[in-house]
Amino acid sequence: MAKKARQRISYGSRRLLCDFPPHPLTRSQSYSGGRDGVICAWDLNLDLQNVSGYDRASQRDAKSQPTTKFRASTQAHTHWVNDIVLAANNSALVSASSDLTVKVWRPELGDTEPHTIGQHADYVKCVATPNSVDWVASGGLDRKICLWDLNGKGKSLEIDVRGEDVSEKASVYAMSVNRNILASGGPESVVRLWDPKSGKRITKLVGHTDNIRAILMNEAGDTVMTASSDQTVKVWSVTAGRCMYTLTMHNDSVWSLFSEDPELDVFYSSDRSGMIVKTDTRGTIEMDEGLSVAVAQEHDGVSKVVACGDYIWTASSSSSINRWTNVETGPDAQLPEAFRHLRVGSPMLRSRKSSATTTDGSAKSEIPAKSILRMSNTAAFPPDLSDPSESNLTLGLPPRKGSEILIDPTVPVVEPIHHLPEETIEGQNGLVKHKLLNDRRRVLTLDTAGDVLLWDLIRCEVIQRFGKKHLEDVEPEVNTLEAVAPWCSIDTSSGNLTVVLEPFNCFDAEMYADELILAEPVDFREDQRINLGRWILRYLFAKLIDEEIIRDEAYRRKLNEVVEKRQAATRLNPPTSISIPASNIQGWDGSESPIATPRANGANYPMTPGLGIGIATPAANLLASEYAVTPGSPLDKTTSHQFNRSSGEDYFSGGISSADAPAKVPTTPAATETSTKDETPKSPVDTKEKDKDTAKSPSTPFGKKFRIGMSFGTKKLGRSASTNIEKPTVAEEKPEENKSESSSNHEKEIDDNLGGVIQRIHNDYERQLLESPDNLVETKITPALPIDAPVLKLPSGTKVIIQEETSGGSANLYRGTVMSVGVDADIIEEKAPMWLGEVLLTNTIPQKEPVKVSFVLHPWKDSLPSLATADGNNRLNANRMLRVKKILAYVAERIEQPIEEPEAGALKPEEYLELYCNDQLLPNTMSLATLRAHIWKGGNDVVLYYKANGRKEIPKELPQPTLDDPAVSDPGGLAAIPPIATVS
């Protein structure tokens, strides 16, 4: 079976950010798409068919309200919309996106959601289609051009742009197509022509020196126009196979071309500097004799320009679309007097009559001299007048190469005709920058309006607004002194705030429950930690969990109907005698049977797993990867005493060993249980002796870390009867048990998705009926309870996306919201990964070895007893989440006499002891990870000093060992000392 691609979960807020301008229709409708993946439909309320002579000054002055009205929108994609085009006689809108898909939307036919018609292996950069056909062509960074059927019949043709050249720059950035020719271009600076029917290459056009950004083709297919980052627009003859004209009216990278003229005699272009240029070559012998005018100037680079009727629309990196008034450039154009005579002198324009008035009798506006651009290096119009007195009448540019940038300071500055748009279609302010704070639960963002926002990644909402400030200035105000493991990544490339959860680290971060601010109080255990990944996933898919519980109840109801009928039949025919098996009234005694039944969860709960302190010694991996630990039900409340070793097993490992000790053989759970029955605190040497004894017992796959009251999924775990090594253990029986269970698993294969988790649960139900046909089937769906995942009320519009990695990025498998995941349960069962199902339905997270921090404890100026062992080793390690107050409790346990019954109101260790690092007093709630990252700031072992604050008198000598202390029988600590096994 092929290895399945890694899947990930994303969620985030929605903030509209439009980048691309509308594509007008004849009925005054338009569409736009943006970085947020949203496509919008607009009613322009303009007459785009009747050209009024382009003089709209009086109408512009009288206009008080915008004319464009929002019509509809759809969340078409989950990444940037790179291109949109109208197809099938303007009845369908096709979009290309960086989410690798090509989609079609037909709002006129009542479609509320677009449909995917194709998918690339990398970002899709452009789409193009001829008029009146039922297919569309798309090109992308995967170096492929694909033709897709608009009716959903799939791919009809695929062209490998690399061909025999195998160019690494063969990505397709621009395309134009008619029925017989398809032109493409990209970073390799070559225009390639293809046959869209056969996919064969016709020819290639070489001449540009930089990336080709836009392509136009005339209706006949014999002329191609290209725009490039080399600052030129080239006109090519397909018949001659060469460049006919190189137009140089731009002084920056040309990003966009547009023309509605079948012969491309009138076209529009825009560049990186924000300049919008209109060029008219009608009636000229040579193309560069035409008129090129700087119509308008945007603040940012113009990525797209569209014109229709009297108007021009432009889009840039901002979230708004601007509408500008068009400019008359035909024979009736009002030019400066000197230019007008030269213009009329042209042979083709000599017979044309110029009109200085519009159809309604008003005077036309004259085009300023500084707005007229020279089209090419060889153009005669406008002239480069040498007379200084007339130099301000022209914007003639000195000859230059197409790839050169003009830096001559004597060149007159271009003055565009329009400085302000006639109308602006406002979009929301998209996010452009972010900073994840140290707690990794909050993030600062900066939007296009300059506003700084503070977001809560767990609650998916804005928690504070700072207005227009620099993000770097706000960060010190809200950042905290914390060090939290990376558990998510932040993406604002789409203008939205998107949080990405990967399976390899989304469960690595935790926070202490006492740091939460909850609307409804929860009775947490002392020092309980909340796993951030499990917490957010639990409520992103809360509706899905509810739906699966309902389905599970219906499934079990059918199974239990048979059981109830059998029970009813048994009651009608009761047995004549009842056999009562022998039982030990004192409870379970493992010494009577070599195979013991595991105790139920909840027999003895530590406070919080995962906070053990031990000697920093390389230890064997005690956690067998094949055994997945399932967190149990809510833990019973237990009392804690500062000197009670059994209650301290959550953060103390039960012993200290030297750095050169041999690896410890994992002990059985029963051995661990027995070792914790001794309530009397022992010295470090005593602990060594106990660990030495347990190391001799037969090994099982479970070590001391499983002593925390957790269930083990569907696997049957054996338990040795006692710590006596002569007793038979379950290790001898387990291979048969595993063999039987393994064979049963092969009988029914399950899918590698979320549905597979449900199949496995159903298989367990059927197995339970076979083994206990008279018992009702109880549910095995056990989602995280509020004690492990406090209740969250996420915004209803929070997006939920399931993605799969591909060679070129991430492909979307599912997209919905927190409110729709329940309705889409069937889709999610098929598309979601199995690890997600295990987290949601069985509260099982993948097990990983805890990250430990090594440190050394010294008394402050020898004011208190030293914790060094007999061999002088005082190097310790513990879970990175261990708090300072637990280290102080560890110190107190070892430097003071144990107290069996503490007095009421007795001081806690953190109340009379202090911990220092680098001469800084450490807060009691600071973790080892934070201490190492922000206080110690080094790579070696952290050096800590403990001292008393005077609130309690502490002897300067360690407590004297009793006669039964192993330190007496082995004062030198010569016995083999196993390394510590910290809980995970």
Side-chain angles (χ1 to χ4, degrees):
M1 180 183 295
K3 184 179 179 181
K4 188 173 182 179
R6 189 172 70 194
Q7 294 174 320
R8 65 187 188 186
I9 312 299
S10 301
Y11 67 95
S13 66
R14 174 178 173 180
R15 292 176 67 83
L16 180 64
L17 183 62
C18 293
D19 265 342
F20 298 97
H23 284 238
L25 301 178
T26 56
R27 293 189 299 274
S28 189
Q29 297 174 1
S30 65
Y31 298 93
S32 65
R35 283 171 47 195
D36 58 357
V38 175
I39 295 177
C40 297
W42 310 87
D43 285 328
L44 299 178
N45 298 314
L46 298 172
D47 185 2
L48 301 179
Q49 293 180 322
N50 297 324
V51 180
S52 61
Y54 303 101
D55 192 344
R56 303 182 52 82
S58 59
Q59 297 183 26
R60 188 164 57 249
D61 295 338
K63 181 181 70 66
S64 59
Q65 296 294 331
T67 61
T68 304
K69 302 296 182 183
F70 174 79
R71 181 183 181 91
S73 69
T74 180
Q75 183 70 52
H77 299 277
T78 57
H79 213 301
W80 292 23
V81 178
N82 293 321
D83 199 8
I84 54 177
V85 66
L86 289 166
N89 293 320
N90 295 338
S91 65
L93 182 81
V94 181
S95 57
S97 171
S98 293
D99 67 4
L100 316 186
T101 62
V102 180
K103 295 190 177 184
V104 60
W105 184 34
R106 295 182 174 90
E108 296 299 316
L109 301 181
D111 285 357
T112 57
E113 293 290 333
H115 305 285
T116 301
I117 58 174
Q119 182 168 327
H120 282 252
D122 209 330
Y123 292 179
V124 191
K125 296 295 291 182
C126 53
V127 284
T129 181
N131 294 325
S132 305
V133 296
D134 59 355
W135 56 268
V136 64
S138 64
L141 302 187
D142 58 356
R143 307 179 184 95
K144 300 289 178 61
I145 296 174
C146 300
L147 271 58
W148 310 97
D149 185 86
L150 289 173
N151 299 316
K153 296 180 181 179
K155 186 190 304 181
S156 59
L157 182 67
E158 179 179 301
I159 302 173
D160 190 342
V161 179
R162 293 174 296 182
E164 300 176 356
D165 297 339
V166 193
S167 172
E168 295 299 328
K169 294 185 177 182
S171 300
V172 180
Y173 275 62
M175 250 188 344
S176 184
V177 63
N178 64 16
R179 292 178 177 271
N180 302 314
I181 297 179
L182 186 151
S184 67
E188 63 176 342
S189 310
V190 176
V191 182
R192 300 183 184 273
L193 304 182
W194 312 88
D195 183 349
K197 298 177 182 177
S198 64
K200 295 182 180 180
R201 191 178 73 181
I202 299 175
T203 186
K204 65 179 180 180
L205 308 173
V206 180
H208 280 295
T209 60
D210 208 335
N211 189 7
I212 295 174
R213 303 294 299 264
I215 301 178
L216 295 178
M217 187 182 301
N218 69 348
E219 192 173 85
D222 58 4
T223 300
V224 174
M225 182 180 294
T226 57
S228 171
S229 296
D230 63 10
Q231 307 178 7
T232 67
V233 175
K234 289 184 180 291
V235 182
W236 310 81
S237 170
V238 176
T239 305
R242 65 183 183 89
C243 177
M244 305 301 294
Y245 298 97
T246 297
L247 309 181
T248 58
M249 57 276 201
H250 288 277
N251 287 327
D252 212 330
S253 175
V254 188
W255 282 1
S256 178
L257 290 174
F258 178 81
S259 178
E260 286 188 317
D261 193 317
E263 298 301 322
L264 306 182
D265 288 337
V266 179
F267 65 91
Y268 302 80
S269 55
S270 63
D271 61 29
R272 184 172 55 186
S273 67
M275 182 69 68
I276 300 105
V277 176
K278 180 181 180 181
T279 303
D280 190 335
T281 63
R282 290 174 293 182
T284 60
I285 298 178
E286 298 293 335
M287 188 173 190
D288 55 5
E289 292 179 354
L291 178 63
S292 190
V293 179
V295 178
Q297 175 72 52
E298 284 272 16
H299 295 291
D300 302 301
V302 178
S303 55
K304 208 79 168 182
V305 59
V306 171
C308 188
D310 292 356
Y311 308 99
I312 301 172
W313 288 265
T314 59
S316 62
S317 58
S318 70
S319 58
S320 301
I321 298 170
N322 289 327
R323 173 165 63 86
W324 310 82
T325 303
N326 211 330
V327 176
E328 171 61 50
T329 55
D332 294 336
Q334 296 300 300
L335 301 177
E337 184 64 27
F339 291 176
R340 192 178 307 157
H341 293 299
L342 294 172
R343 184 75 166 164
V344 173
S346 173
M348 296 297 296
L349 299 175
R350 193 173 298 153
S351 61
R352 298 195 178 187
K353 183 177 180 181
S354 176
S355 174
T357 60
T358 60
T359 55
D360 58 2
S362 60
K364 290 185 177 181
S365 300
E366 181 179 280
I367 298 176
K370 292 186 177 181
S371 299
I372 302 175
L373 308 174
R374 172 175 284 187
M375 290 183 60
S376 72
N377 297 332
T378 59
F381 180 84
D384 186 9
L385 302 179
S386 57
D387 188 351
S389 63
E390 296 180 349
S391 61
N392 61 338
L393 299 178
T394 180
L395 196 64
L397 302 180
R400 64 181 176 91
K401 296 180 181 179
S403 59
E404 294 178 348
I405 301 177
L406 289 177
I407 58 175
D408 187 357
T410 62
V411 176
V413 177
V414 175
E415 288 287 347
I417 296 176
H418 302 303
H419 294 276
L420 294 175
E422 185 172 350
E423 181 187 8
T424 298
I425 304 174
E426 295 286 352
Q428 292 185 8
N429 297 307
L431 305 180
V432 294
K433 190 176 182 180
H434 71 273
K435 173 64 177 180
L436 185 63
L437 301 182
N438 289 340
D439 58 14
R440 297 188 182 273
R441 301 188 300 273
R442 298 173 302 152
V443 62
L444 278 174
T445 61
L446 178 70
D447 63 22
T448 52
D451 292 328
V452 177
L453 306 176
L454 180 63
W455 299 76
D456 189 320
L457 299 183
I458 302 297
R459 291 179 171 82
C460 304
E461 61 185 8
V462 177
I463 56 178
Q464 194 171 355
R465 301 175 185 271
F466 296 92
K468 291 177 170 52
K469 292 185 177 181
H470 291 290
L471 189 145
E472 293 77 11
D473 296 337
V474 178
E475 180 186 348
E477 301 177 13
V478 296
N479 216 346
T480 56
L481 198 68
E482 292 184 61
V484 179
W487 67 282
C488 66
S489 58
I490 307 300
D491 182 20
T492 55
S493 61
S494 64
N496 302 320
L497 178 62
T498 303
V499 184
V500 182
L501 303 179
E502 299 278 6
F504 61 85
N505 71 344
C506 70
F507 303 109
D508 288 356
E510 296 175 309
M511 69 176 296
Y512 280 92
D514 56 20
E515 298 174 356
L516 296 175
I517 301 177
L518 302 175
E520 300 178 1
V522 179
D523 192 9
F524 293 110
R525 303 183 299 276
E526 182 184 355
D527 290 324
Q528 180 176 338
R529 291 173 289 163
I530 304 298
N531 187 290
L532 299 183
R534 173 168 56 190
W535 188 15
I536 185 62
L537 287 173
R538 168 64 177 85
Y539 294 102
L540 284 174
F541 293 93
K543 296 291 185 181
L544 173 67
I545 295 174
D546 295 342
E547 177 64 22
E548 295 298 347
I549 290 175
I550 294 174
R551 296 185 180 188
D552 180 74
E553 290 176 352
Y555 184 84
R556 288 186 296 107
R557 190 181 302 116
K558 294 180 180 179
L559 298 178
N560 288 332
E561 287 177 357
V562 179
V563 177
E564 291 172 352
K565 290 179 180 179
R566 187 180 296 109
Q567 291 177 344
T570 303
R571 285 193 294 269
L572 294 176
N573 301 294
T576 57
S577 62
I578 300 177
S579 176
I580 301 177
S583 173
N584 184 352
I585 62 175
Q586 297 299 326
W588 173 75
D589 185 0
S591 62
E592 298 182 4
S593 173
I595 302 178
T597 303
R599 295 185 183 181
N601 290 337
N604 184 17
Y605 290 104
M607 300 310 299
T608 302
L611 296 181
I613 297 180
I615 290 293
T617 305
N621 184 0
L622 302 182
L623 180 59
S625 60
E626 63 268 26
Y627 295 97
V629 180
T630 304
S633 57
L635 304 184
D636 298 333
K637 296 175 64 176
T638 60
T639 58
S640 174
H641 190 275
Q642 65 189 46
F643 300 117
N644 190 324
R645 288 291 292 275
S646 64
S647 67
E649 285 295 329
D650 62 325
Y651 56 92
F652 303 131
S653 301
I656 298 178
S657 61
S658 63
D660 56 352
K664 178 180 178 181
V665 179
T667 60
T668 64
T672 307
E673 288 285 352
T674 305
S675 65
T676 58
K677 290 180 180 179
D678 186 4
E679 298 291 338
T680 305
K682 304 297 182 182
S683 66
V685 180
D686 181 19
T687 309
K688 295 177 186 178
E689 188 68 20
K690 281 191 173 293
D691 285 344
K692 181 186 70 174
D693 292 340
T694 55
K696 297 178 182 179
S697 62
S699 63
T700 68
F702 303 102
K704 194 167 187 177
K705 64 185 71 179
F706 292 107
R707 199 197 145 265
I708 58 177
M710 291 185 175
S711 61
F712 298 99
T714 59
K715 293 189 178 292
K716 301 178 181 178
L717 307 181
R719 183 185 298 234
S720 63
S722 70
T723 57
N724 190 335
I725 62 174
E726 296 182 359
K727 297 284 185 179
T729 66
V730 73
E732 299 175 3
E733 301 292 338
K734 199 165 186 64
E736 291 296 328
E737 201 170 316
N738 287 342
K739 181 178 179 181
S740 173
E741 188 168 340
S742 177
S743 61
S744 64
N745 288 340
H746 284 295
E747 292 176 3
K748 293 185 177 180
E749 293 186 357
I750 60 176
D751 298 330
D752 187 15
N753 52 24
L754 189 144
V757 178
I758 299 173
Q759 294 173 11
R760 186 168 58 199
I761 292 175
H762 290 175
N763 293 343
D764 290 342
Y765 292 159
E766 296 174 3
R767 188 182 303 111
Q768 179 180 338
L769 284 178
L770 293 175
E771 296 175 356
S772 304
D774 295 330
N775 295 336
L776 294 177
V777 176
E778 299 293 337
T779 182
K780 289 186 177 294
I781 293 183
T782 55
L785 299 176
I787 194 171
D788 292 321
V791 176
L792 290 175
K793 296 180 180 179
L794 304 180
S796 59
T798 303
K799 295 182 295 184
V800 179
I801 305 168
I802 301 175
Q803 297 176 314
E804 183 177 71
E805 284 191 355
T806 66
S807 59
S810 298
N812 294 330
L813 302 179
Y814 169 78
R815 186 184 73 234
T817 66
V818 293
M819 302 302 293
S820 66
V821 291
V823 179
D824 300 334
D826 292 333
I827 302 175
I828 296 177
E829 287 179 8
E830 178 185 355
K831 302 296 185 180
M834 178 176 285
W835 64 264
L836 178 63
E838 292 173 344
V839 171
L840 299 180
L841 304 181
T842 66
N843 196 19
T844 304
I845 61 177
Q847 293 298 303
K848 294 176 68 174
E849 279 296 312
V851 179
K852 301 177 184 177
V853 175
S854 299
F855 58 97
V856 179
L857 281 173
H858 295 292
W860 178 269
K861 297 181 180 179
D862 295 326
S863 59
L864 293 176
S866 174
L867 299 184
T869 57
D871 59 0
N873 188 359
N874 61 349
R875 184 168 177 260
L876 309 171
N877 66 5
N879 190 302
R880 69 193 307 273
M881 290 296 293
L882 187 76
R883 279 176 162 177
V884 166
K885 67 178 183 179
K886 289 299 183 181
I887 300 178
L888 294 176
Y890 175 86
V891 172
E893 183 177 274
R894 282 154 175 77
I895 66 174
E896 294 190 80
Q897 289 285 357
I899 302 176
E900 294 183 358
E901 294 183 3
E903 299 178 1
L907 294 177
K908 298 179 180 180
E910 61 267 25
E911 294 175 340
Y912 61 86
L913 291 177
E914 296 175 346
L915 199 64
Y916 288 80
C917 179
N918 284 343
D919 296 329
Q920 295 187 44
L921 176 62
L922 304 178
N924 291 328
T925 57
M926 179 176 286
S927 68
L928 273 176
T930 302
L931 190 159
R932 185 183 187 91
H934 298 288
I935 307 298
W936 180 247
K937 299 180 181 178
N940 300 325
D941 293 344
V942 180
V943 179
L944 303 175
Y945 294 90
Y946 55 89
K947 63 176 291 189
N949 59 13
R951 297 187 63 185
K952 181 178 179 180
E953 185 177 352
I954 303 174
K956 295 186 178 182
E957 303 248 340
L958 284 173
Q960 295 299 322
T962 59
L963 292 177
D964 59 347
D965 195 317
V968 176
S969 59
D970 185 20
L974 301 178
I977 304 171
I980 202 65
T982 57
V983 291
S984 59

